[in-house]
Every structure is written in structure tokens, then in C-alpha cells.
């Protein structure tokens, strides 16, 4: 969806002008740009835009407008609660978070494709209409997950009055409010994940102290118990399942 928005912006800069712009080789740059962003050539242009913008835009888009923030923070809390150091490694956690984000956001992006991208490809709407239609499902998702307190705070910082409808909330105000809400929710879930593992650590530390084994680090004894408990209760399925359901 965001690659499509980028294409619309490119198209707006590639409108025909009175003066033909050519480079020293004699190639008409304006005509080439217009041809590249034409709806009939959109598939090729999309591929190029994805390759060019993935490095710079994809991380910010994933963090700021999707479920990625909550998922990766909760998974990081879980790894710390287990005290397994770098197991699972960062690549595994980020990969799992990415695919869970795709799973959660798929209905939203299907709406974007159906309501904005396809009508634009078929030349039924112009760039501005397509851009506005593409934002609607994304904003609805963020509004659903944004807490009123965070939204109120960002509106006050921006100097905006109380909105009468969701449409009165600017997108640049909604995004930081959404991110703050996601961080708050993720920390609350992380706190709940810590409790059972903290109890195990306390029990093991008390047992070792009562046995006079104060020189033995409790983590060496508690780690196998935490791992076996997590496996027996099917912890990964419980955590991932409840994470996905928290967005419904």
C-alpha cells in the first residue's frame, strides 16, 4: 500500500510541463517518468519502487503503522523472562514478528488493494482519491488499537481541539498516539509474562539459600525448570495465539 502511495507522489511530480526536460543524451526524462507511473505499467513500476524504498521506508512503516511494535516487544520480554540470552536469536524473533504482522494486517491491506489500488490501476479514480482511500483502512486499524489517553495527549501537544469524528484527527497525530498505545500494551503483556518465571526464580533462590548453596548462581538451576515449564504448557502457541487475538 505504501509503495502505491509513493508511486502516486512520483506521478504528481511527473506532470507534463510547458518546457520539455531532456538530459544531455537527448532522452525525455518527463516522458519516461510519465510512462513509468502509468497504470498500465504499474506492475513493473511497483517492483522497482519496492526494491528502491524497502531499505528506507519498510522499517518505519512496520514500526509505526502496523502490529509489529507490540509483537516484537512482547517477544523480547519473553526471551528476557526465560533468561535464555540470545536464544531464540534476533533473526528468528524478527522473522516471526514479520510474518505475524503480515497475518494480522492482511485484512487491512486487502481492503487497501480492493478499494484504492485496483480502482487506480483501472483508471477509475485519480491519485488524490486513491491516496485518501488507501489511508482509510490503515487509519481504522490504528484507531481501533489506540487508547483514548494517548490520543488526547498527542492532540494537546499538537494544539488540536477535541475532534468530533475520527476524520478530524490528523494522521500525523494518530500515528504517534498509536505507537504509544502499542508500547503501553506490550509492556503490560510483558509484565504478565514475567510473573511465573519470577516465581520460579524466587523459589529456586530460597531453596538454594536454605541448603547453604549461596555460591551457586540461582539462574543455573532455575533455567532448566523455566524451559521445561514453558514447553509443557505449550508456551509459544499460547503467547502467539493471545498476541494475535489481542488485535481482534
Amino acid at each position: 500500500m505504501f509503495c502505491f502511495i509513493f508511486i502516486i507522489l512520483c506521478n504528481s511530480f511527473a506532470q507534463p510541463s510547458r518546457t520539455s526536460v531532456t538530459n544531455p543524451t537527448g532522452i525525455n526524462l518527463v516522458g519516461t517518468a510519465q510512462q513509468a507511473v502509468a497504470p498500465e505499467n504499474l506492475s513493473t513500476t511497483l517492483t522497482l519502487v519496492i526494491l528502491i524504498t524497502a531499505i528506507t521506508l519498510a522499517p518505519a512503516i512496520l514500526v509505526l503503522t502496523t502490529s509489529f511494535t507490540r509483537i516484537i516487544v512482547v517477544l523480547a520480554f519473553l526471551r528476557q523472562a526465560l533468561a535464555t540470552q540470545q536464544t531464540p536469536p534476533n533473526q528468528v524473533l524478527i522473522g516471526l514478528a514479520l510474518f505475524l504482522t503480515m497475518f494480522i494486517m492482511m485484512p487491512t491491506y486487502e481492503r487497501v488493494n480492493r478499494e484504492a489500488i485496483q480502482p487506480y490501476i483501472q483508471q477509475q479514480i485519480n491519485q488524490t482519491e486513491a491516496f485518501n482511500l488507501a489511508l482509510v483502512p490503515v487509519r481504522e486499524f490504528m484507531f481501533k488499537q489506540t487508547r483514548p489517553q494517548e490520543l488526547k495527549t498527542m492532540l494537546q501537544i499538537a494544539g488540536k481541539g477535541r475532534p468530533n469524528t475520527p476524520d478530524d484527527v490528523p494522521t500525523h497525530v494518530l500515528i504517534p498516539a498509536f505507537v504509544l498505545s502499542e508500547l503501553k500494551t506490550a509492556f503490560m503483556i510483558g509484565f504478565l509474562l514475567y510473573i511465573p518465571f519470577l516465581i520460579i526464580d524466587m523459589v529456586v533462590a530460597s531453596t538454594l539459600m536454605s541448603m547453604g548453596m549461596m555460591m551457586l548462581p540461582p539462574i543455573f538451576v532455575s533455567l532448566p525448570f523455566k524451559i521445561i515449564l514453558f514447553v509443557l504448557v505449550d508456551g509459544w502457541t499460547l503467547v502467539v495465539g493471545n498476541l494475535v487475538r489481542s488485535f481482534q
Side-chain angles (χ1 to χ4, degrees):
M1 190 275 291
F2 292 94
C3 295
F4 170 68
I5 295 174
F6 183 80
I7 293 173
I8 294 176
L9 295 177
C10 292
N11 198 12
S12 64
F13 285 108
Q15 296 299 325
S17 59
R18 297 180 180 179
T19 305
S20 178
V21 179
T22 59
N23 63 5
T25 61
I27 300 176
N28 191 329
L29 298 179
V30 174
T32 303
Q34 290 176 338
Q35 184 179 5
V37 297
E40 59 269 16
N41 299 326
L42 189 58
S43 59
T44 303
T45 306
L46 274 176
T47 304
L48 295 175
V49 170
I50 290 174
L51 293 176
I52 295 172
T53 62
I55 297 178
T56 56
L57 295 182
I61 293 170
L62 284 173
V63 171
L64 298 180
T65 62
T66 68
S67 58
F68 182 82
T69 300
R70 184 189 306 184
I71 296 172
I72 194 62
V73 172
V74 170
L75 293 179
F77 268 118
L78 176 60
R79 185 173 64 180
Q80 292 180 1
L82 284 169
T84 54
Q85 302 300 324
Q86 296 298 317
T87 304
N90 291 331
Q91 292 86 344
V92 174
L93 293 184
I94 294 175
L96 178 60
L98 284 173
F99 278 100
L100 289 177
T101 300
M102 292 173 57
F103 178 79
I104 294 169
M105 299 300 298
M106 189 56 63
T108 299
Y109 290 145
E110 286 178 350
R111 282 189 58 192
V112 171
N113 179 67
R114 182 174 64 253
E115 299 175 6
I117 297 180
Q118 292 303 321
Y120 175 72
I121 294 176
Q122 299 171 9
Q123 302 183 16
Q124 297 175 357
I125 56 178
N126 57 31
Q127 297 95 326
T128 303
E129 293 173 338
F131 180 83
N132 293 331
L133 290 173
L135 281 180
V136 171
V138 179
R139 283 172 55 90
E140 289 181 0
F141 172 82
M142 290 191 289
F143 267 117
K144 186 177 179 181
Q145 305 301 327
T146 302
R147 298 173 182 270
Q149 183 60 42
E150 280 71 22
L151 184 58
K152 178 181 178 181
T153 300
M154 297 309 303
L155 285 171
Q156 291 176 347
I157 295 174
K160 304 290 184 180
R162 183 175 181 177
N164 296 322
T165 63
D167 294 336
D168 297 333
V169 179
T171 303
H172 72 275
V173 174
L174 175 61
I175 291 177
F178 168 74
V179 175
L180 291 177
S181 299
E182 288 295 281
L183 288 174
K184 183 176 182 179
T185 303
F187 272 67
M188 292 173 61
I189 297 174
F191 170 76
L192 296 176
L193 288 174
Y194 255 98
I195 293 178
F197 301 113
L198 179 61
I199 293 175
I200 294 177
D201 287 333
M202 294 175 61
V203 171
V204 170
S206 300
T207 303
L208 293 177
M209 186 173 295
S210 64
M211 295 174 61
M213 304 175 64
M214 292 179 292
M215 300 301 294
L216 179 64
I219 190 174
F220 288 164
V221 181
S222 63
L223 179 58
F225 288 100
K226 290 192 287 187
I227 293 176
I228 192 62
L229 174 65
F230 192 70
V231 172
L232 289 177
V233 300
D234 200 8
W236 286 111
T237 301
L238 289 175
V239 172
V240 170
N242 285 284
L243 262 178
V244 174
R245 281 190 287 267
S246 68
F247 289 95
Q248 297 176 353

